[in-house]
Amino acid sequence: MLVLVLNAGSSTLKYSVRRFDQERTLAGGEPIAKGVVERIDEGEVADHREAFEIVRGELAQALPGCVPDAVGHRVVHGGERFTGPALVDEEVIGAIERLNALAPLHNPPGALCIRAATAAWPGVPQVAVFDTSFHRTLPEHAWRYALPDELYRSHGIRRYGFHGTSVQYVGRRAAQVLGISWEEFNAVIAHLGNGSSVTAVRGGRSVDTSMGFTPLEGLVMGTRSGDVDPGALVFLQRLGYGPDELDDLLNRDSGFKAMAGNNDMRAITRAAAAGNPEAELALETAVHRLARYIGGYHVSCSGARAVVLTGGIGENSADFRARLLVRLGPLGIRLDEAANRQAAGRQGPRVISTADSAIPVLVIPTDEEHAIAEATIGAVGPR
Ligand code: ADP
């Protein structure tokens, strides 16, 4: 079986094709074709429908005559309804489109790609895999904001959480590495990329997560502020900032970009090493906040058996990880300097804490598209 995975970002469309064998296990880990269409909505490619046609053209070249047996779509927001992958029909597409207001940059492209793929390959099953669904197990005390109930009932204002596909994928692998069953696994899992979040997992279920109503809440990110006193936003509104300006400010002009002038972790750690005070402060602010969340989530998950790091920064930035682990000292966590320096690149799971660390710290490369392909096969069922 060939499974095509489509991952629609706000201005990109990534795709990959994976082959599954008769037993429906992945034949080899690597995709047999993959690519990315960039700069969508920026003039070159009009929209995700056009991007999909480009993908179809590239697929026809790479795998002549290929029609996928199933298509898996990454969808950012599944709201309260979707607790897992959903086999797509017209009603499901409508439900996803009704969530567009909650994720205006991300859900519309996902829905467009589902419609385009359904039209291109009628009869080929399509599966939607949601970033939010792993967090549908959050207890109410973790997803509630202390706001009037009316705001939740009328507008859906609550915490949803994101990065769920990645968190579940690396969490399961970490449990395997440690020889603990997933259902008994308690851990704190940090996905650190351009967008970053941290999740507390108890018994294989998400019980706390740092992103909230939108992916803006929580950690210091590439261009997003993470936590800010909402009073500051009210103050800025009184100064005349409108919703679009605030949106740009918080989502695109904050985080590392604002503090260090750059959202590339390699450049930031290099600048800090060369004595640049802005880069140093940006790193310390980010690490301080992340360490504080990890300490809190150690409590939320009733005692973590592991801390797991993933995403572009978690997987690759030994400097960032070293700063973090030093700050986690009060939890009894001890950095293994040599193992940390070796754990560069996508080399599979690594432990970067010492043998006597109270909690092991693991670096596990994420592969959201692999996880989406597996979820797609699972949702399609035997055919
Ligand atoms: P996205 O959230 O867009 O998928 P990624 O998971 O690719 O992002 O993470 C992007 C971040 O990872 C950037 O801050 C980038 O600088 C950082 N990064 C990628 N490769 C390295 C590396 N070799 N060393 C340090 N940081 C890296």
Side-chain angles (χ1 to χ4, degrees), residues 14 163 191-196 222 256 262-269 310-318 344-346 366 368:
K14 291 190 213 160
H163 285 146
H191 177 110
L192 309 172
N194 267 318
S196 295
F256 286 117
N262 199 313
N263 61 351
D264 183 338
M265 186 49 67
R266 285 160 286 209
I268 298 167
T269 49
T310 193
I313 296 171
E315 292 167 33
N316 299 300
S317 183
R346 299 190 158 258
T366 194
E368 282 169 298

